[in-house]
């Protein structure tokens, strides 16, 4: 039983590390605004599929690591990810039963709301400017959601991570 728990934590941690690497990977200058929010996509899937294991605590830890990697103000991403983790896990039964395309629309709104929330917190702490091209990254995240969902569901079922 203990070995199974450690295996599940290692697999989830590895998946989040891959998402973090994809998040910080450089993109060409003209396409920087189309960069999807990989960490948000991966976290949303796991929070919807196994909310009893991946919830606010995971979101806080991922947010702190995300802050350290980006070099932003410590705790900003952790706060925003924790708030949205609560929203996702509180309504996971409703969100899980929506079609993938409806979930994609919600992902667009979720990613944009997360980026806007991070901007507002950064704006309160020091002068920050908002790049309205962030909408394109939100749209890219929504377009990628069905494939991320199906890929992670296949991983979850093959490794039996739902128990």
């Amino acid at each position: 039983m203990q070995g199974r728990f450690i295996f599940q934590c290692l697999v989830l941690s590895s998946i989040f590390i891959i998402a973090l690497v994809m998040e910080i990977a450089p993109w060409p200058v003209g396409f920087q605004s189309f960069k999807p929010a990989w960490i948000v996509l991966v976290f949303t899937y796991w929070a919807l599929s196994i909310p009893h294991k991946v919830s606010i605590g995971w979101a806080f830890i991922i947010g702190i690591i995300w802050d350290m990697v980006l070099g932003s103000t410590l705790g900003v991403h952790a706060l925003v990810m924790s708030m949205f983790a609560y929203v996702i896990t509180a309504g996971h039964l409703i969100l899980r039963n929506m079609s993938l395309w409806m979930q994609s629309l919600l992902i667009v709104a979720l990613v944009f709301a997360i980026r806007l929330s991070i901007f507002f917190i950064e704006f309160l702490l020091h002068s920050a400017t908002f790049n309205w091209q962030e909408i394109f990254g939100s749209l890219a995240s929504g377009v990628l959601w069905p494939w991320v969902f199906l890929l992670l569901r296949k991983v979850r079922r093959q490794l039996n991570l739902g128990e």
Side-chain angles (χ1 to χ4, degrees):
M1 189 69 166
Q2 183 69 18
R4 183 81 184 140
F5 175 75
I6 293 172
F7 173 73
Q8 290 177 350
C9 286
L10 285 175
V11 169
L12 288 173
S13 298
S14 300
I15 291 171
F16 281 119
I17 289 171
I18 291 169
L20 185 65
V21 168
M22 291 174 68
E23 185 80 33
I24 63 174
W27 279 45
V29 176
F31 295 104
Q32 190 69 25
S33 61
F34 291 99
K35 192 162 136 180
W38 293 108
I39 293 176
V40 175
L41 290 172
V42 169
F43 180 80
T44 302
Y45 173 78
W46 291 112
L48 285 177
S49 63
I50 49 174
H52 56 281
K53 291 185 181 178
V54 178
S55 187
I56 298 171
W58 274 86
F60 187 79
I61 292 169
I62 291 166
I64 290 289
I65 293 170
W66 197 4
D67 282 329
M68 288 189 295
V69 167
L70 292 179
S72 63
T73 306
L74 192 63
V76 172
H77 287 86
L79 173 66
V80 172
M81 286 291 290
S82 298
M83 289 187 316
F84 284 98
Y86 173 75
V87 170
I88 292 168
T89 55
H92 78 280
L93 292 175
I94 297 169
L95 298 173
R96 222 186 336 199
N97 290 318
M98 293 181 175
S99 68
L100 277 180
W101 298 110
M102 185 58 111
Q103 287 179 4
S104 293
L105 292 174
L106 288 173
I107 289 293
V108 169
L110 177 74
V111 170
F112 186 71
I114 287 174
R115 290 182 177 180
L116 194 63
S117 300
I118 291 170
F119 161 72
F120 280 134
I121 294 172
E122 291 285 341
F123 182 75
L124 291 173
L125 295 175
H126 48 59
S127 61
T129 58
F130 187 70
N131 184 5
W132 285 101
Q133 293 178 343
E134 296 284 338
I135 296 171
F136 298 130
S138 301
L139 292 173
S141 298
V143 168
L144 286 174
W145 172 250
W147 289 278
V148 169
F149 178 87
L150 294 172
L151 175 69
L152 291 176
R153 183 174 68 177
K154 184 175 182 177
V155 168
R156 180 176 57 90
R157 287 182 177 173
Q158 284 184 347
L159 298 177
N160 201 14
L161 294 176
E163 297 177 0

